Amino acid sequence: MPIPAGACVLATYVLSDYSFSTYFVAILTFVIGCIMYSNVKFPDFKGKGNPMFLPPVIVAAAVGIYLLYVNLSAWPFAAMFTYSLAGIINCVYAKMLNKQ
């Protein structure tokens, strides 16, 4: 995961009006940190990252739409969280189906 994307997930959460439990925020911070350090490739929209598959995008979009439904004013967090979630699910999906 690009470092700016990981930082934006956490920064937009702080600026959003969501109030998840402290355990969720701690786990989110840990996962974001681990993924920034890992070899998980995210789409870079230049054609050099992992190709995106439709099922992971649909799942991540559904979560993003739900986050927007709950709090429309926190759209930056919903967008960054959806991008991160799509990359993680896409990587797992590709490895499960040996598409890489």
Side-chain angles (χ1 to χ4, degrees), residues 78-94:
M80 293 309 301
F81 186 80
T82 302
Y83 170 76
S84 301
L85 186 63
I88 295 166
I89 295 172
N90 191 59
C91 180
V92 171
Y93 180 80

Side-chain angles (χ1 to χ4, degrees), residues 12-83:
T12 56
Y13 170 74
V14 170
L15 297 174
S16 73
D17 201 18
Y18 287 110
S19 59
F20 297 123
S21 72
T22 55
Y23 295 114
F24 176 80
V25 176
I27 291 170
L28 177 67
T29 304
F30 180 76
V31 168
I32 293 293
C34 289
I35 290 182
M36 286 192 299
Y37 185 71
S38 73
N39 291 335
V40 174
K41 294 191 182 354
F42 280 71
D44 62 358
F45 305 110
K46 297 176 189 173
K48 296 178 183 172
N50 277 353
M52 290 300 289
F53 300 105
L54 188 59
V57 171
I58 291 172
V59 171
V63 172
I65 290 169
Y66 175 74
L67 288 172
L68 286 175
Y69 175 75
V70 171
N71 185 359
L72 186 60
S73 66
W75 64 266
F77 172 71
M80 293 309 301
F81 186 80
T82 302
Y83 170 76

